[in-house]
Amino acid sequence: MTAVDERPITRAAKTFEDLDVPEGFKAELLRGDIVMMAGPDRVHNRIVQSVQDQIPHDRWDRLQTQDIAIPNEESEPQPDLVVLERGAAEGPGRLIPAPAVTLVLEVVSRTSGDRDYGEKCSMYAAGRVPAYLIIDPMEQLCMLLTEPAGEGENADYQVERITNFGDSVPLDMLGIKLDTSEFETLPAVRRRRRR
């Protein structure tokens, strides 16, 4: 698949491109804002690893620390896991076009909830990513969002499916049922709500 990068070239995008991120941190460009955060904890990493291990690698690329390009947006988010069909984005490069992506995963941390449930939800929907999986170890739930619609900040997913830890999450777009029985949890924090 060949995709054209239709994102605007702005000062924020140029600054982000040239940014020297300190070791142990990650940075994302989210609607013109550069957001830097500390690296994730072990609970977070084990959840991402568990999801990655359950997705068949013979059909799917399962990429961590991979930036994606959202068309017509000044955004380069770095989901916790990007899943795309093998061959959907060939060759080298730092960015994968959102239209090539089948599913993105974000594991909620104590500080990322508002972004994961809000801003990133509309961003991934605007990019037409077919499925967005939010795993929240504080609430002990998985939220699968599908059927993106709308444009820009008004974009959203039309279908929301919530599954508690311990139950399997049907990921039909990948042809699997995600086992959540071994997902670890974190102490609860004040609940964040999706827009």
Side-chain angles (χ1 to χ4, degrees):
M1 170 182 190
T2 302
V4 176
D5 190 351
E6 299 173 357
R7 296 169 307 119
I9 304 297
T10 64
R11 185 177 303 175
K14 177 70 175 132
T15 300
F16 182 72
E17 191 76 29
D18 296 336
L19 187 65
D20 187 18
V21 180
E23 187 173 334
F25 288 83
K26 83 173 196 177
E28 298 178 289
L29 181 61
L30 305 176
R31 296 210 160 116
D33 292 329
I34 297 173
V35 178
M36 192 173 302
M37 61 215 79
D41 70 15
R42 288 185 300 275
V43 168
H44 174 284
N45 288 339
R46 284 194 281 267
I47 289 172
V48 174
Q49 181 180 21
S50 175
V51 173
Q52 181 175 332
D53 289 349
Q54 293 181 61
I55 299 171
H57 70 278
D58 60 332
R59 179 169 176 208
W60 303 102
D61 283 332
R62 305 144 320 144
L63 309 173
Q64 295 184 39
T65 65
Q66 178 65 60
D67 296 335
I68 63 173
I70 308 291
N72 303 311
E73 291 247 355
E74 192 176 10
S75 297
E76 295 179 15
Q78 187 182 95
D80 294 320
L81 188 66
V82 176
V83 181
L84 60 152
E85 203 160 356
R86 287 194 174 271
E90 294 290 319
R94 185 179 63 78
L95 291 166
I96 292 185
V101 174
T102 301
L103 177 138
V104 293
L105 164 68
E106 296 285 2
V107 177
V108 178
S109 71
R110 295 183 199 289
T111 60
S112 72
D114 291 336
R115 282 188 307 275
D116 294 340
Y117 283 105
E119 188 173 24
K120 286 189 175 182
C121 179
S122 69
M123 215 180 317
Y124 296 143
R128 296 297 182 263
V129 174
Y132 174 29
L133 179 61
I134 302 171
I135 299 180
D136 192 330
M138 289 153 292
E139 293 294 320
Q140 302 175 31
L141 63 80
C142 300
M143 179 182 291
L144 178 63
L145 302 167
T146 57
E147 297 185 25
E151 302 294 326
E153 292 182 23
N154 295 318
D156 201 357
Y157 286 91
Q158 303 304 299
V159 177
E160 174 182 303
R161 180 184 183 132
I162 295 176
T163 306
N164 293 317
F165 279 17
D167 297 331
S168 62
V169 180
L171 297 178
D172 298 338
M173 72 291 307
L174 303 179
I176 66 166
K177 288 189 181 212
L178 183 68
D179 178 8
T180 67
S181 63
E182 294 185 7
F183 286 1
E184 296 175 56
T185 62
L186 292 169
V189 296
R190 175 182 259 161
R191 181 74 232 140
R192 299 165 184 98
R193 294 285 175 216
R194 195 167 90 77
R195 295 199 273 144

